[in-house]
Amino acid sequence: MAKLLIQSDGGTQEVTLASRNTLGRHPDNSIQILDRIVSKNHAKIIKQRNGEYKFIDLQSLNGTFKEGHRVDELILADGDEITMGTTTLRFKKEKTKTGNFSVAEGNVDSLIRGKITMGPGEFLPVENVTDEEALRRDYERLRVSNAFAASIAGQLDLEQLLPKILEAAFSIISADRGAILLVDETGSLVPHFVKTKKAGQEKNISLSKTVLSEVMSNKAAVLSSDASVDDRFAGAQSIIMQGIRSTMTVPLLIREELVGIMHLDSLVATTTFTTKDLQICSSMAAQAAVAIQNARLAKRIESEAAMRAQISRLIPPSVVDQVMAGQLTIEKGGRSSEITMLYSDIRGFTAMSERKTAEDVVATLNAYFEIMVEVLFQFGGTLDKFVGDEIIGLFGAPIEIENAPLRAVSCALAMMRELEKFNASRATVGLEPLTIGIGVNTGTVITGAIGSTRALQYTAIGDAMNVASRLVSVAKPGEIIISESTMSHVNSDIDAEELEPVTVKGKTNALRIFKVRGAQAFGEPTVFSD
């Protein structure tokens, strides 16, 4: 399994690579890169038959670079960093000790006749035990099994958990090789870890398709004391060719759910594995299955927490709860919808920044954004993005809300009030005040999710967005300017005066604009005065 760590201005995200991956700015790509310099269809990453991943640049306009040199094709190695525009991609190949696995066909339709289960009564009552040495061996098996349970308790990292499972199995039985395969999301068995008794011993394992099918379909263990002469494996060349003398394949079960399979084999000794070994290993397998499932759940919870944190930066907490509960599905793609857009911009911030250190500028913006985004969320708005010191908010995307235009205007008024409080606190420590201008417009745009499902980023595209950006540039310090379209929705709920029409870039006719003085927002009057 391999992953791609994507670092861009919008943040960092980690993507698990599929066998075929396409990268680019267009939303149809399996991995969308939010970077204006990146081409719509920039590159692809293809998994080769030998397991390596090949990066191929699709003759992109601005190219792909590694260590400052442009590359067209590249076999990716663990840790490789490549640059596309202002975005950096770091390739990560998980270092799992999987060895080389293959599954071989048998020469007959069915090599296993009947379900193979554990024999009863292998562990005798104490009064029936006469062999002291056998009693010692049984005690050691049980001791290791108990120690194993303690060692995996609370272990939530698969890379550390799987080796412990096979180490415990090796300490109980005389196995030469062991392997753990886990069931993936598609129901297929995927090799995850292999262990050999001797360091440097060959890790190439060819497992019998017949044995795996038996364990998966019947969810029962398969045990053979001498696989090379066992009639059940009469046509299994994958076993005979490797000289395997004893095999044990145990299902990892949670109730009736198959989590994976643990396979153990011996290359030299005959009659190595006994039914008693199978009983102990099956017991360990049950504990291992629970631990593996817990590790997977922990990983899923971690991923969901990261997703919640990412979404929480964009949309109100109430909407986040709906998304995480499955009550609201946010899909990748675009749709046409009428929404209201709010643009807020700090006046004179560039000049102020020239007089301040970079640390002071960042601290000021962070404190200011913290307050303004909280206000945006209070009125049901969605954070589209920050552009320098500008805030862009959407009302009615990604989900429709009632009274979106009035909510946007009320939000603008609330921002002005909160700014007054913010400036008062700055004055107490001798800092100069900030002033902002706000523009609000309502119109039909294309809204959609930009990025991967791990880093949901929403935006709106269309002429109405351009108009809103022009209105904020018209607004003087302390002014809220709204368009005629927004005014038509909130006329009876706000106090506003019409200003002289303005001509803006991209528009032939002058736009009617209105300056907001106050609003009757959701039953509570809000008033803003110059």
Side-chain angles (χ1 to χ4, degrees), residues 281-353:
C281 284
S282 294
S283 176
M284 291 174 55
Q287 299 174 62
V290 173
I292 290 169
Q293 195 77 324
N294 287 341
R296 285 180 158 180
L297 289 174
K299 186 69 175 178
R300 188 181 307 164
I301 292 171
E302 180 183 348
S303 176
E304 289 180 355
M307 184 184 293
R308 174 183 284 272
Q310 179 70 15
I311 297 175
S312 297
R313 297 176 182 177
L314 304 174
I315 56 180
S318 59
V319 180
V320 175
D321 292 338
Q322 293 181 55
V323 173
M324 300 308 294
Q327 299 171 358
L328 174 65
T329 301
I330 300 178
E331 297 180 350
K332 189 175 177 180
R335 65 185 179 91
S336 177
S337 58
E338 183 180 83
I339 67 171
T340 299
M341 299 129 277
L342 180 152
Y343 279 64
S344 173
D345 187 64
I346 299 177
R347 296 293 180 249
F349 192 77
T350 300
M352 181 188 296
S353 300

Side-chain angles (χ1 to χ4, degrees), residues 51 145 163 209 231 279 294 343 349 352 368 420-421 491 504:
S145 179
K209 183 176 181 179
D231 288 340
Q279 287 179 308
N294 287 341
Y343 279 64
F349 192 77
M352 181 188 296
Y368 166 75
E420 290 180 0
K421 298 177 185 178
N491 186 40
V504 298

Side-chain angles (χ1 to χ4, degrees), residues 244-318:
I244 297 173
R245 308 294 290 182
S246 298
T247 66
M248 182 190 299
T249 308
V250 183
L252 303 174
L253 290 171
I254 297 180
R255 298 184 179 89
E256 291 301 313
E257 180 184 356
L258 184 69
V259 175
I261 284 176
M262 178 171 66
H263 173 85
L264 301 163
D265 63 44
S266 170
L267 300 176
V268 292
T270 59
T271 64
T272 301
F273 304 148
T274 67
T275 308
K276 190 177 292 185
D277 292 329
L278 182 60
Q279 287 179 308
I280 290 291
C281 284
S282 294
S283 176
M284 291 174 55
Q287 299 174 62
V290 173
I292 290 169
Q293 195 77 324
N294 287 341
R296 285 180 158 180
L297 289 174
K299 186 69 175 178
R300 188 181 307 164
I301 292 171
E302 180 183 348
S303 176
E304 289 180 355
M307 184 184 293
R308 174 183 284 272
Q310 179 70 15
I311 297 175
S312 297
R313 297 176 182 177
L314 304 174
I315 56 180
S318 59

Side-chain angles (χ1 to χ4, degrees), residues 19-325:
S19 297
R20 179 180 176 84
N21 313 268
T22 59
L23 299 85
R25 201 174 71 251
H26 196 278
D28 286 344
N29 287 288
S30 59
I31 301 175
Q32 190 173 31
I33 307 296
L34 300 177
D35 190 325
R36 293 182 183 274
I37 304 177
V38 172
S39 298
K40 290 183 179 179
N41 298 292
H42 195 104
K44 60 184 179 181
I45 298 177
I46 307 296
K47 186 176 182 180
Q48 308 297 293
R49 289 186 176 181
N50 60 3
E52 294 181 327
Y53 287 81
K54 186 176 184 179
F55 177 92
I56 304 172
D57 186 282
L58 300 176
Q59 298 182 342
S60 61
L61 178 63
N62 295 305
T64 304
F65 296 84
K66 180 185 178 186
E67 298 177 351
H69 300 286
R70 184 161 183 164
V71 295
D72 295 322
E73 293 187 2
L74 174 69
I75 296 297
L76 295 171
D78 184 50
D80 273 355
E81 289 192 357
I82 54 179
T83 303
M84 299 163 53
T86 61
T87 301
T88 299
L89 311 176
R90 184 158 66 89
F91 179 72
K92 293 170 57 179
K93 194 165 186 180
E94 293 189 352
K95 299 175 181 178
T96 53
K97 301 177 182 178
T98 56
N100 294 323
F101 284 78
S102 62
V103 177
E105 300 280 356
N107 284 345
V108 294
D109 292 337
S110 177
L111 305 179
I112 302 175
R113 303 180 181 88
K115 185 174 180 180
I116 303 170
T117 58
M118 296 180 294
E122 288 297 322
F123 284 92
L124 301 175
V126 64
E127 60 271 16
N128 296 337
V129 176
T130 58
D131 187 340
E132 182 177 341
E133 187 59 32
L135 182 61
R136 289 179 180 274
R137 288 195 298 270
D138 288 346
Y139 171 80
E140 180 62 14
R141 288 187 176 99
L142 295 174
R143 185 195 67 79
V144 171
S145 179
N146 183 66
F148 166 72
S151 69
I152 65 173
Q155 179 56 258
L156 300 178
D157 186 343
L158 275 181
E159 289 193 9
Q160 297 184 40
L161 174 61
L162 300 184
K164 288 184 176 181
I165 295 172
L166 287 183
E167 285 170 10
F170 273 45
S171 64
I172 291 177
I173 64 175
S174 300
D176 289 307
R177 304 184 307 180
I180 292 179
L181 300 88
L182 300 181
V183 178
D184 66 8
E185 297 83 357
T186 66
S188 302
L189 279 175
V190 178
H192 274 260
F193 190 78
V194 64
K195 176 179 173 61
T196 57
K197 187 174 183 179
K198 297 178 181 179
Q201 190 174 14
E202 178 61 58
K203 292 186 177 181
N204 294 334
I205 298 181
S206 180
L207 303 180
S208 167
K209 183 176 181 179
T210 309
V211 173
L212 294 181
S213 298
E214 167 69 16
V215 176
M216 290 187 70
S217 60
N218 292 327
K219 298 177 181 178
V222 171
L223 173 66
S224 174
S225 297
D226 192 339
S228 63
V229 297
D230 194 324
D231 288 340
R232 292 173 297 155
F233 306 107
Q237 292 184 344
S238 59
I239 291 177
I240 298 172
M241 289 176 64
Q242 295 183 83
I244 297 173
R245 308 294 290 182
S246 298
T247 66
M248 182 190 299
T249 308
V250 183
L252 303 174
L253 290 171
I254 297 180
R255 298 184 179 89
E256 291 301 313
E257 180 184 356
L258 184 69
V259 175
I261 284 176
M262 178 171 66
H263 173 85
L264 301 163
D265 63 44
S266 170
L267 300 176
V268 292
T270 59
T271 64
T272 301
F273 304 148
T274 67
T275 308
K276 190 177 292 185
D277 292 329
L278 182 60
Q279 287 179 308
I280 290 291
C281 284
S282 294
S283 176
M284 291 174 55
Q287 299 174 62
V290 173
I292 290 169
Q293 195 77 324
N294 287 341
R296 285 180 158 180
L297 289 174
K299 186 69 175 178
R300 188 181 307 164
I301 292 171
E302 180 183 348
S303 176
E304 289 180 355
M307 184 184 293
R308 174 183 284 272
Q310 179 70 15
I311 297 175
S312 297
R313 297 176 182 177
L314 304 174
I315 56 180
S318 59
V319 180
V320 175
D321 292 338
Q322 293 181 55
V323 173
M324 300 308 294

Side-chain angles (χ1 to χ4, degrees), residues 468-484:
S469 68
R470 303 290 185 263
L471 294 182
V472 73
S473 64
V474 170
K476 298 175 182 178
E479 284 188 346
I480 301 170
I481 302 298
I482 67 174
S483 66
E484 181 180 10

